[in-house]
Amino acid sequence: MAQKVKLSTIAEALGLSTATVSLALRDSPLVADVTRDRIKEKAIELGYIYNRRAASLRTSRSGIIGVVVHDIMNPFYAEILKAIETELDRSRQTFILSNHYDSVEKQRNFIETLLQLGGDGVIMSPAIGTPASDIRLALDNGMPAILIARSVPEIDVPTFRGDDAYGTALATNHLISLGHTRIAMIGGTDHTSTGRDRYAGYANAMKKAGLELDPALRIPGPRTKQSGFEAAVNFLANPLKPTAAVCWNDLVAIGLMNGIARAGLVPGKDISVTGYDDLEEAAIATPALTTVWNGQSEVGRFAARALLDKLNGSSEADGLHLIKPEMRIRQSTTPLNPGAGR
Amino acid sequence: MAQKVKLSTIAEALGLSTATVSLALRDSPLVADVTRDRIKEKAIELGYIYNRRAASLRTSRSGIIGVVVHDIMNPFYAEILKAIETELDRSRQTFILSNHYDSVEKQRNFIETLLQLGGDGVIMSPAIGTPASDIRLALDNGMPAILIARSVPEIDVPTFRGDDAYGTALATNHLISLGHTRIAMIGGTDHTSTGRDRYAGYANAMKKAGLELDPALRIPGPRTKQSGFEAAVNFLANPLKPTAAVCWNDLVAIGLMNGIARAGLVPGKDISVTGYDDLEEAAIATPALTTVWNGQSEVGRFAARALLDKLNGSSEADGLHLIKPEMRIRQSTTPLNPGAGR
DNA sequence: TAGATTTGTTTAAACGTTTGAATCGGGGCC
DNA sequence: GGCCCCGATTCAAACGTTTAAACAAATCTA
């Protein structure tokens, strides 16, 4: 590997100063056109590589943005990330991605690393139990933060997520309108604002329709296919078997449908199932999954924009922004079959 | 936001020099125990944040490692990434993740960005058509590279991937042993080494068994569920309908099974299907998918280790390392049903 | 007791950029 | 001809660390 090529290498080769070279490479109007061209040519010829750490040490802008979510493998976040990526790419920001797997500690490590690297900002879906102080750590050190998918108590930064109570109410009402009365709710926990909201939407819809809220019909659990698959056993063991299920998300719903099929019943016919998120996968599941579109791409896009706006000095977007979910009706929900559920 | 706290802030507060503070914070034996404790205490009290860009400017080690793959949303890569993450976390390296979506340009941008940030190394699954010069760009600037999943002609860096020809041969032979003779191969392209290898494994197994290689039975396509789902139509329209299919990967296989089910046939019974990769999802699909384990976690782990070794000066691992795939037999493959396939 | 060693700390230069202020050689203006 | 201004370029300091080398004081050693 040849000697490192830096500004001064180019400067010396041309008999100029590093200042001129620096300005020229950044298209400053201060340097003569002809000089700029000579400099740029030489830079390419020598294989010059801009040293961002040196630059950012001087300018205190690194061009790095951090994004941390529960699990990037989860298609729900993956769709959000894709939207963020598209938006940030446009403004030539590098982004650093991390999972926290709901470990507050891993999340704080990430924030600290990002501060050390001089990150310009952070977009995060906070881990369960995130203390306000962890967000303030970023804020106090001049690194703006945007929240997605979940809120953190006492923190008032721009926050984007779906209107969960409204969304599960949509799904529940859909099932009620099909004649179902014993409707289970599967997956998720009550330890997050999302969890509480989703349950509230379901519970309110049930009450409003005059239906009984049987605690045995609430089966909490992780938010994975595996968990939905396993819940099927529990679900089908219930003596008064439910005829329909509102699932935490599409993954749980697909897992549940697989579990139902494995038990010899026909999902969508014997038991109606709704998902949540409307992942790409929902449409090609068998049967095609009725679900609630949760606006992941909107969340990602808005979050990225809000951060870029903040970096440019505006702060209009503070506070909570809810995206209204929409029903996507497919084949996994059908009118109550009077013979089923016994 | 208060004034920035730096080494000199701590130094002044304690009447010491920045050198002492710098050494103390890094647990150098050069500084007295009592002094070190005072310094560390003060650092916490003042909320000191280590500035890595300044440090790395001096040391030329940034602690940043880049990872670029086709698509992090793809569970195949996601499993590799998880293994890499686990391994790198252990040695406190920050990693920057990116998709190239098989765009050589996006990939080169990533390499350039990483160089600008002073990345210590890069692990990549090269985009289709990656020129050797793009890898050399990294190498020539002192940034070691490791390849996963695919090779690049003329490049001899440590490369880790599954033995694809062997793997598809396993799957094909399994189907042949069940009595199938009209076996399709679905998904993938011939533009990558992986693609050619997988086809070769299938083709050789067919020939060796004395079976005809009907070009109509080769249905190339993207490596997604969607694509498998769509291929079902094409597949079932064949007048001499195949009775079994070797799929490019589990996603294609699951999509294909959904498509078969949608057409009113029973996957695994009317038509046998094999996947590739053995994703978590394969085991809970309906029917549970027979597939080929491709050692993603091994690939990720080995790649990360190889890079860390390189950074520590060793270079033993140069060249290609193949991981031997293994068959995972489940319910999606059954003996040929003489009535089917007509 | 003088010199050598050890222990703990400081000095100062370096890493590669950016940028406000300074310089320089011409013109144009009155 | 003196003055000011202009465009193009350079000077030099700064960003916050690290580290080789120097230093000072205390402790050994012969």
Side-chain angles (χ1 to χ4, degrees), chain B residues 124-148:
Chain B
M124 48 194 296
S125 171
I128 294 177
T130 302
S133 60
D134 282 355
I135 311 287
R136 296 239 173 75
L137 175 62
L139 267 26
D140 290 347
N141 285 284
M143 187 168 75
I146 307 285
L147 299 184
I148 52 179

Side-chain angles (χ1 to χ4, degrees), chain A residues 209-220:
Chain A
L211 296 174
E212 178 202 8
L213 258 186
D214 182 350
L217 295 186
R218 172 80 184 107
I219 307 179

